[in-house]
Amino acid sequence: MPVNLSAPRAESLHAVPGVRIGVAEAGIRKANRKDLTVFLLDEGAAVGGVFTRNRFCAAPVQVCREHLARGDIRAMVINTGNANAGTGEDGLVRARATCVAAARLLNVAPEQVLPFSTGVIMEPLPVDRIEKGLPAALADARPDHWLRAAEGIMTTDTVPKAFSRQVQVEGATVTITGISKGAGMIRPNMATMLGFLATDAQIDPRLLPELAFELAEGSFNRVTVDGDTSTNDSFIVVATNKARHPVITSLHTAAGAALKGAMLEVARQLAQAIVRDGEGATKFITVRVEGGRTAAECRQVAYAIAHSPLVKTAFFASDPNLGRILAAVGYAGIEDLDQAHIELFLDDVHVATRGGRNPSYREEDGQRVMKQSEITVRVALGRGEAFDQVWTCDFSHEYVTINADYRS
Amino acid sequence: MPVNLSAPRAESLHAVPGVRIGVAEAGIRKANRKDLTVFLLDEGAAVGGVFTRNRFCAAPVQVCREHLARGDIRAMVINTGNANAGTGEDGLVRARATCVAAARLLNVAPEQVLPFSTGVIMEPLPVDRIEKGLPAALADARPDHWLRAAEGIMTTDTVPKAFSRQVQVEGATVTITGISKGAGMIRPNMATMLGFLATDAQIDPRLLPELAFELAEGSFNRVTVDGDTSTNDSFIVVATNKARHPVITSLHTAAGAALKGAMLEVARQLAQAIVRDGEGATKFITVRVEGGRTAAECRQVAYAIAHSPLVKTAFFASDPNLGRILAAVGYAGIEDLDQAHIELFLDDVHVATRGGRNPSYREEDGQRVMKQSEITVRVALGRGEAFDQVWTCDFSHEYVTINADYRS
């Protein structure tokens, strides 16, 4: 059961002018499953992306990087059931074949197509099934198919993830809609498993790489489920340039910052949705670390807490066994950290002070917070002014069940 | 159920001349439990130790460091049920009070006593119970109480861990006997939760710090259960200097190297026993990484594999979902790693070659190995001559059960 997250209603997802989406059942791994999704972009769309830093990055990620560098992207093809990762040279050939097949049907060049794959690693991608499924996916293409797309890219996700909002940019109504997927192998390093965010705003195409990077930094790059960085993490931002406002030429003008802020909000919802639907998750946890010398060291401590199996199982048990959090702070790798300056809060409850138990802390107060479905852990390092935060979930029996049975 | 590990027979554990051990039930956390252990060392024993690098190191670890620097150690007091970690200044006061109480009964100085604590973090240490329990522990002291000591330091361990052997050093029979404890919060960084190794060999006292460090590096510093580095890791090496052979003045002479080799073997058995009894473990896994530029980078990759919840749950399921291992290799943090050079073996089975599936690999071969209780994962990085290895276990439902229920 995802934590305070339910499937969106199709009506709540605004269509983005310039984007059409089609979904098909191609039988890639199992029959009768929406497993092939195609995004069609009108001419003139600007696209930016960030990808996994896993050195074992999947073949489609390598092809995406090449094609994005050329620009003028017109389509994205996403399959589930197979990650096309750990597949060597043959995997690259198959990822390119996917682009060729889509390009032929769309009458564009193969370099104008971005391929994405997600699913089991180290199995050959069944390109023939993708080729056979593409005509149906294209025939299905419509602007209002965002919910279908969110369903089409699911793997171990239990709910489709899609968010949408509209903002005013210099007098024009601009739409931002996005989808994401992922529930396990989640510790994005550049981006998450798969995230797609589109707007009809007019943005100078040269800004898209920076925009994609900054949005990922504030959203997908701050979530973790199990600390396993995927081979296929991809986050794509599309601006179709259809809205009727002056072109945004910088993210630092009032209009640019406002648009970016609204896009970040949707990206964050998409990223947090992945944690809420984290494999086996029963709780949504914000880990905020402040008082560090740099944001990077705050992040390092936050991830140590967020990745600790002992901390995560304590959250699952609603057990305020909070010494486990202090232990994780201690092994986070900050060599000159002084434990005598550490403060620990659980929501409003002041648990530890000066590195030891707060004399006024009462176990029942910790217990009360631990039973909530949404909890904020706040650690103050007492050595500077920087802060950062990450979002994670607890670690339950269900996680083991899901991952011990995934392929069967 | 521990993996191919059972309780030792008391007769298999050789007494070490110069060491007596007493155990008592002090009711530190629960009644009717052996929770207080005392080691008494004859005058002339040399002692070395290595301790956790967790910045949140426990109060007794801080006191041990101070006392070891002075030398002439005559007793070690170990309690379970309470880690005296995350306890601030008050924790230091209580650790010192433990030393004072033991010193008074033994007629030595408090600085000649080393304190050790293991158990729940962030609770005040009940020193009064330790004080009341000490006379019974001292009255119990005998040279042949190694098995009782191994039982006395257990927390979530399911079997006592003790190993012993005798070797010839320049014509004299030398005894090496040790105990360890630990099952969760195990990713030692200098040493494990608690390990004690004693020999009656005659060793120049100045060699003990180096000896303790090198033994830890080849044993406790190469195991992990859950990646959580404890606040209390301590590994202590005692040489009582009772054996009748010329004093060893270097670890690099034939006699010095032979003794160190034998001690390393016992230390490794003690360290591996912790993994075999790892919380919820059903399999014992050796992760060997070779072909690296440095041993450090091999270790980095080995730990990435050994800590991956996805890899560990796949082992639990006996599912050869081996792409998860490649993904962990990829995110281990070696920035210029070339996936095209990676080879992966599961015992004798060649699973992946040049970063992709080995064409001759058959799933049933992977399945056969995955069903074993002892498995070696071997990764070749293809970029140098260095290698290293770590030992770990799988990740099961039982781990979640144990850690969600530990305090209740």
Side-chain angles (χ1 to χ4, degrees), chain B residues 69-334:
Chain B
R70 297 175 180 231
D72 198 15
I73 300 301
R74 296 297 304 280
M76 304 192 285
V77 178
I78 307 142
N79 72 270
T80 63
N82 185 305
N84 194 10
T87 47
E89 272 301 318
D90 178 64
L92 281 172
V93 171
R94 288 168 192 256
R96 291 190 213 287
T98 302
C99 297
V100 168
R104 194 172 292 148
L105 292 167
L106 293 167
N107 203 23
V108 300
E111 293 75 20
Q112 293 180 285
V113 180
L114 300 181
F116 302 88
S117 296
T118 177
V120 178
I121 299 174
M122 230 175 71
E123 303 275 348
L125 181 72
V127 190
D128 52 330
R129 294 181 199 169
I130 294 177
E131 286 169 352
K132 281 192 199 129
L134 274 172
L138 294 180
D140 186 58
R142 278 172 50 183
D144 59 352
H145 272 175
W146 281 93
L147 180 56
R148 272 176 75 78
E151 291 164 353
I153 64 173
M154 288 167 68
T155 55
T156 56
D157 309 64
T158 68
V159 289
K161 301 171 181 70
F163 294 91
S164 185
R165 61 174 301 188
Q166 293 186 314
V167 288
Q168 295 297 312
V169 174
E170 304 200 59
T173 298
V174 165
T175 298
I176 302 160
T177 302
I179 60 173
S180 64
K181 64 106 359 191
M185 200 177 263
I186 297 292
R187 190 272 158 94
N189 189 353
M190 281 314 283
T192 187
M193 196 67 179
L194 292 179
F196 299 94
L197 188 63
T199 178
D200 57 345
Q202 291 205 60
I203 310 178
D204 183 331
R206 289 167 297 186
L207 294 182
L208 267 289
E210 175 189 348
L211 181 60
F213 176 78
E214 292 193 5
L215 292 177
E217 274 294 291
S219 58
F220 294 105
N221 281 356
R222 291 296 178 279
V223 299
T224 185
V225 170
D226 48 18
D228 277 291
T229 300
S230 156
T231 48
N232 292 53
D233 292 343
S234 305
F235 172 55
I236 296 293
V237 178
V238 175
T240 63
N241 292 310
K242 298 275 188 185
R244 296 164 185 278
H245 61 82
V247 174
I248 288 171
T249 54
S250 162
L251 301 175
H252 306 290
T253 59
L259 177 66
K260 184 183 139 187
M263 292 180 82
L264 182 58
E265 201 170 295
V266 178
R268 207 168 259 185
Q269 284 176 307
L270 291 170
Q272 291 184 353
I274 287 174
V275 172
R276 293 181 185 284
D277 197 19
E279 289 172 346
T282 73
K283 295 195 167 81
F284 179 83
I285 297 155
T286 301
V287 183
R288 183 183 163 86
V289 177
E290 56 194 38
R293 291 201 188 130
T294 63
E297 78 174 25
C298 293
R299 198 157 58 246
Q300 194 177 338
V301 172
Y303 271 120
I305 295 168
H307 287 150
S308 159
L310 290 174
V311 170
K312 291 168 98 82
T313 47
F315 276 111
F316 170 55
S318 300
D319 176 9
N321 192 337
L322 301 167
R324 293 179 180 181
I325 296 177
L326 295 184
V329 172
Y331 69 67
I334 301 185

Side-chain angles (χ1 to χ4, degrees), chain A residues 261-332:
Chain A
M263 293 180 82
L264 181 58
E265 200 171 296
V266 178
R268 207 168 260 185
Q269 285 176 307
L270 291 170
Q272 292 183 351
I274 287 174
V275 172
R276 293 181 184 283
D277 197 20
E279 288 172 346
T282 73
K283 296 195 167 81
F284 179 83
I285 298 155
T286 301
V287 183
R288 181 181 164 89
V289 177
E290 55 195 38
R293 290 201 189 131
T294 63
E297 76 175 25
C298 294
R299 197 158 58 245
Q300 194 178 334
V301 172
Y303 271 121
I305 296 167
H307 287 149
S308 160
L310 290 175
V311 170
K312 292 166 95 83
T313 47
F315 276 110
F316 170 55
S318 300
D319 177 8
N321 192 338
L322 301 167
R324 293 178 179 178
I325 297 177
L326 295 185
V329 172
Y331 69 67

Side-chain angles (χ1 to χ4, degrees), chain A residues 157-191:
Chain A
D157 308 64
T158 68
V159 290
K161 300 170 181 68
F163 294 90
S164 185
R165 61 173 299 184
Q166 293 186 315
V167 288
Q168 294 298 311
V169 174
E170 303 200 54
T173 298
V174 166
T175 297
I176 302 161
T177 302
I179 60 172
S180 64
K181 64 109 356 192
M185 200 177 263
I186 297 293
R187 190 268 159 96
N189 190 352
M190 281 317 285

